[in-house]
Amino acid sequence: MARRRRSAGPPEPCRALVTGGSGGIGAAICRQLATAGMSVIVHAGSRLDRAEAVVDEIRSNSGQATAIQFDLADGAACAAAMSELTEPAPLSVIVHNAGLHDDAPLAGMAAEQWQRVIEVNLNAFFRVVQPALLGMARQRWGRVIAVSSVAARLGNRGQTNYAAAKAGLHGAVISLVREMAARGVTANTVAPGLIDTGMLEQEHSEQALALVPAGRLGQASEVAALVGFLCTEAAAYINGQMIGIDGGMAPG
Ligand code: NDP
């Protein structure tokens, strides 16, 4: 039987795009990947100043980073940005972390609420990952990571749109591995529980804490550490997984 050799590792320079790098978890992921020596593209939807602050911080620690802004709900803007990003050299890592929620019980949910949440959380996965795949395949190395949510595993009242989008990411990932694994590209989903960032309102966090066996919120740096590990060569055989990082909320 023909044996496939392990890949030689990530190419130099290893360029990583993190969508939603202007947000709490995304910024932590950017810092983590930069510390690992990657050249990080810190994406913002609207808060370019926040992405630029992350870039400044990374550079002040001798890392490499640049900022970019585009609306993930705008297909033409995404295509233009991805063409600009992939033209000079392949992207080796894509972390689709950007996301939003817009909650309502399904019976009272407006069509726009459903669509906007699906656009940014799920459709944008196609918009940023698809243009990068041929480059990853050619260099025989790549990492695709989608940031999902515990809501994709447990469901959550008022979040049919969000849970559908986040579960859809896992469906995309488990199919993508069947297309790309032989080319040294892995794809995984991480599913955070309650993470201490601006996305979680104070009143909700206090109620929700009762659901967390660990008895505390997670830190963005903990999610970033998991994403960082999945981007290493040591994680080359982890493929197509949805990995919870939720203090035990959704075991197994
Ligand atoms: P933040 O609200 O801090 O960050 C959200 C990010 O998404 C921002 O960078 C924002 O960009 C970007 N974004 C939103 N809409 C768009 C858009 N239309 N176009 C481009 N970018 C957009 O959230 P977190 O850091 O907390 O969350 C990061 C990810 O983790 C999300 O996918 C979220 O669903 C997931 N998650 C978070 C949990 C938590 O407890 N915090 C729990 C489970 C999952 P900008 O601000 O520049 O507009």
Side-chain angles (χ1 to χ4, degrees):
M1 186 199 282
R3 286 221 195 135
R4 206 176 291 277
R5 278 187 296 127
R6 284 184 64 178
S7 111
E12 289 283 341
C14 184
R15 299 172 68 231
L17 169 66
V18 180
T19 67
S22 56
I25 294 174
I29 293 170
C30 290
R31 288 184 203 106
Q32 181 81 35
L33 300 187
T35 303
M38 295 183 194
S39 175
V40 181
I41 298 144
V42 184
H43 163 265
S46 56
R47 297 177 296 174
L48 184 60
D49 56 326
R50 296 276 286 265
E52 284 171 341
V54 176
V55 168
D56 289 346
E57 188 190 329
I58 288 171
R59 288 185 181 164
S60 70
N61 290 314
S62 308
Q64 296 177 61
T66 52
I68 192 166
Q69 176 180 15
F70 55 93
D71 182 359
L72 289 165
D74 180 338
C78 290
M82 291 308 296
S83 151
E84 189 185 312
L85 288 175
T86 52
E87 200 268 324
L91 287 166
S92 302
V93 173
I94 306 258
V95 183
H96 177 44
N97 153 83
L100 55 83
H101 65 104
D102 190 352
D103 303 353
L106 188 60
M109 185 178 287
E112 301 77 57
Q113 279 179 289
W114 178 273
Q115 279 150 8
R116 195 164 76 96
V117 169
I118 301 285
E119 279 298 325
V120 175
N121 291 287
L122 180 59
N123 291 347
F125 176 87
F126 171 81
R127 293 179 181 137
V128 297
V129 172
Q130 191 275 343
L133 290 176
L134 277 183
M136 290 183 186
R138 280 196 200 102
Q139 67 183 9
R140 292 284 193 270
W141 200 93
R143 296 286 184 268
V144 174
I145 294 161
V147 178
S148 177
S149 166
V150 70
R153 305 177 71 202
L154 295 181
N156 198 16
R157 197 180 149 77
Q159 292 196 322
T160 51
N161 49 359
Y162 183 74
K166 293 300 197 184
L169 290 170
H170 184 57
V173 156
I174 58 179
S175 298
L176 184 59
V177 299
R178 301 198 178 275
E179 299 168 1
M180 298 296 288
R183 294 182 167 77
V185 177
T186 70
N188 291 286
T189 312
V190 302
L194 302 176
I195 307 300
D196 192 8
T197 70
M199 205 168 178
L200 199 67
E201 293 87 10
Q202 185 65 26
E203 52 172 319
H204 289 152
S205 72
E206 276 164 25
Q207 288 165 7
L209 216 48
L211 303 171
V212 186
R216 67 169 178 89
L217 298 178
Q219 297 301 309
S221 59
E222 294 177 299
V223 180
L226 171 59
V227 171
F229 176 67
L230 290 172
C231 291
T232 63
E233 195 51 23
Y237 212 55
I238 302 174
N239 215 345
Q241 302 303 306
M242 178 184 272
I243 304 174
I245 174 152
D246 59 16
M249 279 179 86

